[in-house]
Amino acid sequence: MSGKSLSERTADRLYSMITAEQSLMPGEKLPNENLLSAELGVSRATLREAIRILAVQGVLSVQHGRGTFVSEKISNDNLGFNTLDRAYMRLKDLYEMRLIFEPVCIALACQRASDNEIKEICDQGRKVIRSIKRRAAWADHDQLFHTLIVQASHNEFIIRLFPIINSAVHETMELGKDMSELQKITISDNESVIELLSRRDADGARSAMDLHMRHTIHALGLDKA
């Protein structure tokens, strides 16, 4: 893990909202402190410290009596390496969360899913493999494959949390990185996952998904981020 404080991680999240997600634009006023701290899941004190960090960096401008604004100087021309570095750090965090959740989810799916759910998951996994081999768009198919596995765990909390974690798939594609190694890994790993899931081998499927997440992290260079 990065060893950063909560305020530093919150600053990184705000920075990502401004640069990568563009949900906060140059010159825009930040939302109400209560609303923003709730959205980020931190205390108001932590949010204030995060804002102070970004203000020192010139990313935010604190205007007394008016509020806090995204600096007008933030633009696509001056983001450069810093933006890419932060994007990789966010992606690393997301894949670490996937590494924690998905092996458990597929083990639960082996135990709890209906026969129809198992079939749907396996069919979707094969669709991912076919799409890659045909050099067609495959990211959305892969995202659905993993979503179906999580849904088949029948754990309501994980199901609600997963869309946030699964945003890693689209963020991966937005990095513009060569996906050839990841595609090869996905074909091989999906074949193993499908085989073990179809046999309802919970321990085997858990290990296969754990290995897939580790392969993905390595292929994307996130173990060095």
Side-chain angles (χ1 to χ4, degrees):
M1 301 296 287
S2 65
K4 291 184 177 182
S5 68
L6 179 57
S7 56
E8 289 172 326
R9 296 199 301 274
T10 303
D12 284 346
R13 179 72 182 94
L14 276 172
Y15 190 88
S16 178
M17 291 169 69
I18 295 166
T19 59
E21 302 169 27
Q22 296 187 335
S23 55
L24 294 170
M25 303 299 291
E28 184 177 346
K29 184 178 180 180
L30 261 60
N32 173 276
E33 188 178 82
N34 289 332
L35 293 176
L36 188 54
S37 61
E39 179 181 348
L40 296 172
V42 298
S43 68
R44 291 166 61 189
T46 297
L47 176 62
R48 290 190 197 114
E49 179 60 20
I51 289 172
R52 188 194 67 78
I53 292 170
L54 293 180
V56 170
Q57 296 176 3
V59 176
L60 297 177
S61 173
V62 179
Q63 301 179 20
H64 296 290
R66 294 190 62 214
T68 301
F69 295 78
V70 178
S71 174
E72 295 279 3
K73 297 178 182 179
I74 296 292
S75 71
N76 290 332
D77 294 331
N78 61 19
L79 297 178
F81 174 78
N82 198 25
T83 301
L84 186 60
D85 182 54
R86 288 173 182 269
Y88 266 98
M89 291 306 298
R90 172 172 162 77
L91 198 56
K92 179 183 178 183
D93 289 345
L94 286 169
Y95 271 100
E96 284 179 348
M97 289 298 292
R98 293 187 73 180
L99 179 60
I100 292 168
F101 278 98
E102 293 201 48
V104 174
C105 285
I106 198 167
L108 291 175
C110 286
Q111 298 164 355
R112 299 175 177 177
S114 68
D115 290 342
N116 284 339
E117 286 175 318
I118 294 290
K119 182 180 183 303
E120 184 179 12
I121 294 167
C122 292
D123 287 347
Q124 184 63 31
R126 295 185 187 100
K127 186 181 292 186
V128 175
I129 294 171
R130 289 196 301 271
S131 297
I132 294 174
K133 288 182 176 179
R134 293 171 181 169
R135 298 184 179 180
W138 61 281
D140 287 343
H141 294 311
D142 189 61
Q143 193 168 25
L144 179 57
F145 174 57
H146 288 272
T147 299
L148 290 173
I149 291 171
V150 171
Q151 290 174 346
S153 74
H154 296 284
N155 182 299
E156 189 65 29
F157 179 78
I158 296 176
I159 291 170
R160 292 188 182 191
L161 181 63
F162 191 67
I164 300 171
I165 301 171
N166 209 21
S167 66
V169 175
H170 284 300
E171 293 199 21
T172 300
M173 301 304 156
E174 290 170 1
L175 287 177
K177 188 178 176 67
D178 181 9
M179 294 289 113
S180 57
E181 183 180 356
L182 181 59
Q183 289 173 338
K184 292 177 184 177
I185 286 168
T186 299
I187 290 173
S188 175
D189 290 353
N190 273 20
E191 288 173 345
S192 297
V193 166
I194 291 167
E195 171 66 21
L196 293 161
L197 181 64
S198 65
R199 298 207 311 257
R200 293 185 181 268
D201 182 344
D203 290 337
R206 184 202 299 262
S207 296
M209 184 61 76
D210 181 275
L211 190 61
H212 175 56
M213 288 295 115
R214 294 181 188 277
H215 282 163
T216 301
I217 288 169
H218 179 71
L220 295 172
L222 299 176
D223 49 353
K224 305 178 185 67

